[in-house]
Amino acid sequence: MIETIFALLMIINHEIKEHRIQATLSDCLKHKRVAERTSKGKSIQYKCIKSKAELEENIDGSYTIKKLILE
């Protein structure tokens, strides 16, 4: 299923290493601030984006990002 979502990206050495679905842009920015405060590595960047993504339903009914569609 393809949906437009807000995602928090963890970028290490110009490569997306992890991505998490966020309910709103506000939630994304809040989690970004927390991650930046607790992050020890200087080469780690966090970024909030609004993008289309291919989602996959988990066994518990929640969704995870299978593939980001960056346009």
Side-chain angles (χ1 to χ4, degrees):
M1 149 179 35
I2 295 179
E3 295 280 329
T4 300
I5 55 141
F6 290 104
L8 176 59
L9 307 179
M10 181 174 69
I11 303 167
I12 300 175
N13 296 327
H14 308 288
E15 185 178 333
I16 298 171
K17 292 292 185 179
E18 189 173 326
H19 39 67
R20 300 279 180 186
I21 297 173
Q22 303 296 316
T24 63
L25 180 58
S26 176
D27 284 342
C28 187
L29 292 171
K30 181 173 79 172
H31 289 102
K32 177 185 174 196
R33 284 191 298 274
V34 170
E36 287 174 338
R37 285 186 205 137
T38 59
S39 170
K40 302 290 185 207
K42 296 183 189 257
S43 64
I44 300 174
Q45 289 182 303
Y46 296 94
K47 187 172 185 178
C48 290
I49 64 166
K50 181 179 181 181
S51 177
K52 288 185 180 180
E54 187 176 329
L55 302 179
E56 186 173 60
E57 188 172 4
N58 295 325
I59 203 162
D60 64 355
S62 64
Y63 290 93
T64 55
I65 298 170
K66 184 174 182 181
K67 180 171 67 170
L68 284 172
I69 303 169
L70 303 173
E71 298 176 339

